[in-house]
Amino acid sequence: MRGDWDDVNRRLTSAIIALDLDDSLVIGEAQEQRKKGLFGRPPQPKPRRFVQVTAARDSLIGEVVGATSFGGTWDMSQETIDTLLSRGWEKPWSEDYRTFSRQTPLVSANRLALQLIRALQLLGCEVADLDVEFVRAPD
């Protein structure tokens, strides 16, 4: 991704506002292109830092990669976990989920974008290493 964190924040806010119901944006470290392994199976993806936002009916649902301490994929220090919690992110309430999350009204897209950016910064991401993936809801 090009630019600085302010550029990312502006683009992310615009993209969030444009999401249709159940569509998602995933912003995180680019995933490595890996060749197929033994017997033609792709190897397991490596853990990566990411955030995600999904448009619900009357709210936005933000997510941050989960800590390995509660079943997520990213190894985080307790200080990082505490900082995310103090910023309003919540640990999963069900064993079916593995990410930190928060829900916000649709009119607060700009606030959620800023919190997603701050989470990426806290996790040590660099703008140049970020990739954006748009996930369309199935029809």
Side-chain angles (χ1 to χ4, degrees), residues 5-125:
W5 287 111
D6 288 334
D7 296 325
V8 175
N9 187 31
R10 281 190 294 277
R11 289 192 301 262
L12 180 56
T13 299
S14 297
I16 290 172
I17 291 168
L19 287 174
D20 285 332
L21 182 64
D22 296 328
D23 287 350
S24 298
L25 282 174
V26 181
I27 302 94
E29 295 173 309
Q31 292 188 21
E32 295 177 23
Q33 298 294 329
R34 293 187 305 277
K35 296 178 183 176
K36 292 183 180 179
L38 189 59
F39 304 112
R41 295 183 188 138
Q44 288 288 82
K46 292 184 178 180
R48 70 181 187 129
R49 297 169 282 194
F50 72 90
V51 296
Q52 178 172 328
V53 60
T54 303
R57 183 179 186 133
D58 54 2
S59 63
L60 297 166
I61 302 163
E63 295 178 75
V64 175
V65 63
T68 54
S69 63
F70 59 75
T73 59
W74 194 255
D75 188 20
M76 292 181 201
S77 69
Q78 188 59 48
E79 179 181 359
T80 300
I81 293 169
D82 293 343
T83 301
L84 286 168
L85 294 173
S86 73
R87 291 180 180 176
W89 295 98
E90 299 176 1
K91 287 183 179 179
W93 51 270
S94 165
E95 290 189 21
D96 294 337
Y97 301 102
R98 301 282 187 251
T99 59
F100 288 95
S101 65
R102 71 186 310 149
Q103 193 168 338
T104 188
L106 295 170
V107 297
S108 296
N110 60 333
R111 290 186 190 135
L112 180 59
L114 182 58
Q115 289 302 317
L116 293 166
I117 295 302
R118 287 182 176 164
L120 288 169
Q121 290 172 320
L122 176 66
L123 293 171
C125 292

